[in-house]
Amino acid sequence: MSEHADESVTSIASARSALISILGELVAPYHQPVRTAALLYALTGVGFGESASRQAIARAGASGLLAAERDGRETKWALTERTHELFREGTRRVFPDSTIGRWDGKWLIVIVPIPESRRATRKKLYAALRWAGFGNPSAGIWVTPHVERLPEAQSAIDSLGLHDNTMSFIGSPASVGVSEAELVERAWDLDEVARTYEALRARFDNDEQLAGKAALVAHIELIDALRHTPYMDPQLPHELLPEWPGLKVIRRLQELRAERAPAAHAHWLTVAQLD
């Protein structure tokens, strides 16, 4: 099968995305370097060709996510400390603490206009702000009830050289203008988020009892889907969405991840030859 054909059957957007999911779920917990062959086994297993898989690994090394180590004729890859920290933060975002107390009603508002000529900058900022739980109710205006994520927004804005064009505020909505409910509706397409969650549940919530490579591949696909949910789901407080059905679905997907992890990890440990 050609590399192009391999890529057409996978549900994962790119080899890089699959690699990050593999590293976060299967490599990071064991704190041991892993052979190139093991990474290729997992990447080709979810549908990517060997060339695209090798390229994703090489680029991860070049970007500082991985550090190469020679072991005889083999190359092994270890996660850098920066990568471990990124995965720790990612875990907190994908699997948020359900014991957090009531929302205090405060919003963080960031106003950051970007000229049309800076499309690449705009794309990077939008991705960073969506990951941080921001919504975009109007052009150049971003809002989130997660006021504690101000440092994250500031880091993204500063890194892109947008500090001088940005304004930010923390506070509660006033009576002038749209209601808080309308603000939420404009900032996020929660109906689309709910539909996406339902599609994920239909895809993953079944009675299949998988083992071996099939269990590993299915688990990587589930992990990759979960890893992308913070980009679409702002994880709004219960006070803003008291009856939102998406919450039950994401909890079910997280339960499936826990239930199916043992079989996937057992096969991975054999493939990766980890202790």
Side-chain angles (χ1 to χ4, degrees), residues 21 38 46 48 65 67 73 92-93 106 110 112 114 154 158 178-179 182 204 212 217 228 238 245 250 258 273 275:
S21 296
V46 294
F48 294 99
L65 291 176
R73 295 183 177 181
R92 289 191 290 268
R93 194 61 52 83
K106 298 292 182 62
V110 174
V112 52
I114 304 177
Q154 181 177 355
D158 290 349
V178 301
S179 66
E182 176 68 15
F204 290 110
V217 168
H228 285 85
H238 177 76
I250 190 64
Q273 299 176 5
D275 297 333

Side-chain angles (χ1 to χ4, degrees), residues 59-111:
R59 287 179 174 175
S63 67
L65 291 176
L66 292 173
E69 301 178 4
R70 294 297 298 178
D71 183 8
R73 295 183 177 181
E74 289 188 315
T75 298
K76 289 187 175 181
W77 299 92
L79 301 187
T80 63
E81 183 51 41
R82 168 174 165 264
T83 307
H84 277 292
E85 178 53 38
L86 288 173
F87 286 147
R88 285 191 287 268
E89 174 57 31
T91 298
R92 289 191 290 268
R93 194 61 52 83
V94 176
F95 305 103
D97 185 356
S98 60
T99 63
I100 295 175
R102 290 178 59 83
W103 177 52
D104 65 2
K106 298 292 182 62
W107 288 81
L108 168 59
I109 303 97
V110 174
I111 303 172

